Amino acid sequence: LMHTELSFTFLTESEFWEAWELFKKTRELSFKDCTLLALCQSRHIEYLATFDKGLAREKSVAIIDA
């Protein structure tokens, strides 16, 4: 991939704490997965492509079959 095709994003403090609360409630997901879900929710991302079976069970975001 060319470097112009990649972008990095960082969680805000509120996204971090939202992910932490989700992680404490949902022991089936890793903290990384919880940060991804918090990011999707706060930034209104509706679709997620993943091979992760744990995330595929989540109802808060629509999973695109990869």
Side-chain angles (χ1 to χ4, degrees), residues 9 11 14 16 23 25 28 33 36-37 39 45 52 54 63:
T9 189
L11 294 175
S14 63
F16 174 87
F23 178 68
K25 290 183 215 172
E28 298 164 359
D33 291 342
L36 182 57
L37 292 173
L39 184 79
I45 298 169
D52 189 314
I63 302 298

Side-chain angles (χ1 to χ4, degrees), residues 4-63:
T4 56
E5 294 177 23
L6 298 175
S7 65
F8 292 90
T9 189
F10 297 92
L11 294 175
T12 64
E13 186 174 347
S14 63
E15 289 167 338
F16 174 87
W17 289 114
E18 183 180 335
W20 181 248
E21 291 301 316
L22 179 61
F23 178 68
K24 289 191 314 186
K25 290 183 215 172
T26 311
R27 292 296 180 174
E28 298 164 359
L29 297 174
S30 69
F31 182 66
K32 176 198 63 75
D33 291 342
C34 292
T35 59
L36 182 57
L37 292 173
L39 184 79
C40 287
Q41 182 178 11
S42 71
R43 300 185 189 192
H44 308 288
I45 298 169
E46 298 178 30
Y47 302 97
L48 179 65
T50 183
F51 293 107
D52 189 314
K53 301 294 185 214
L55 281 174
R57 289 190 294 268
E58 274 302 306
K59 302 297 182 214
S60 60
V61 64
I63 302 298

